[in-house]
């Protein structure tokens, strides 16, 4: 728990936006949004897992919405 609290304090000191989520019975997830990236940092008793999602820099118009639905719908 100390690592999680220290990390949250560090984010707040740096004025970095985050939100908390519980993704399963063992981990608490911190979702962080920074320009061009999103991070998912999961904390458990003796484990920290980090996943980073980076933008390719492309900006799309609303026509891309249909492509997204086609790609990710059942």
């Amino acid at each position: 728990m100390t690592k999680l609290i220290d990390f949250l304090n560090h984010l707040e000191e740096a004025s970095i936006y985050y939100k908390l989520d519980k993704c399963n019975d063992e981990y608490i997830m911190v979702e962080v949004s920074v320009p061009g990236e999103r991070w998912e940092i999961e904390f458990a008793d003796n484990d920290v897992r980090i996943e980073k999602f980076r933008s390719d820099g492309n900006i799309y118009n609303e026509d891309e919405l249909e492509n997204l639905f086609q790609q990710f719908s059942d």
Side-chain angles (χ1 to χ4, degrees):
M1 187 70 135
T2 302
K3 286 182 183 182
L4 173 60
I5 298 298
D6 289 345
F7 180 69
L8 295 177
N9 288 336
H10 194 77
L11 289 172
E12 291 172 4
E13 290 167 5
S15 298
I16 296 175
Y17 173 80
Y18 70 90
K19 65 181 182 175
L20 299 177
D21 196 3
K22 179 178 169 271
C23 49
N24 61 46
D25 289 341
E26 297 179 25
Y27 287 87
I28 294 175
M29 180 168 39
V30 182
E31 296 179 54
V32 179
S33 296
V34 295
E37 288 190 17
R38 187 173 56 82
W39 311 331
E40 292 180 356
I41 303 98
E42 298 174 339
F43 291 84
D45 288 336
N46 294 310
D47 191 26
V48 177
R49 303 186 303 192
I50 301 166
E51 199 168 359
K52 297 189 287 187
F53 304 89
R54 292 191 173 136
S55 171
D56 62 6
N58 292 323
I59 305 295
Y60 302 91
N61 63 27
E62 66 183 277
D63 295 335
E64 184 65 16
L65 293 174
E66 185 60 33
N67 292 334
L68 294 172
F69 280 107
Q70 286 179 3
Q71 185 175 358
F72 296 103
S73 295
D74 292 336

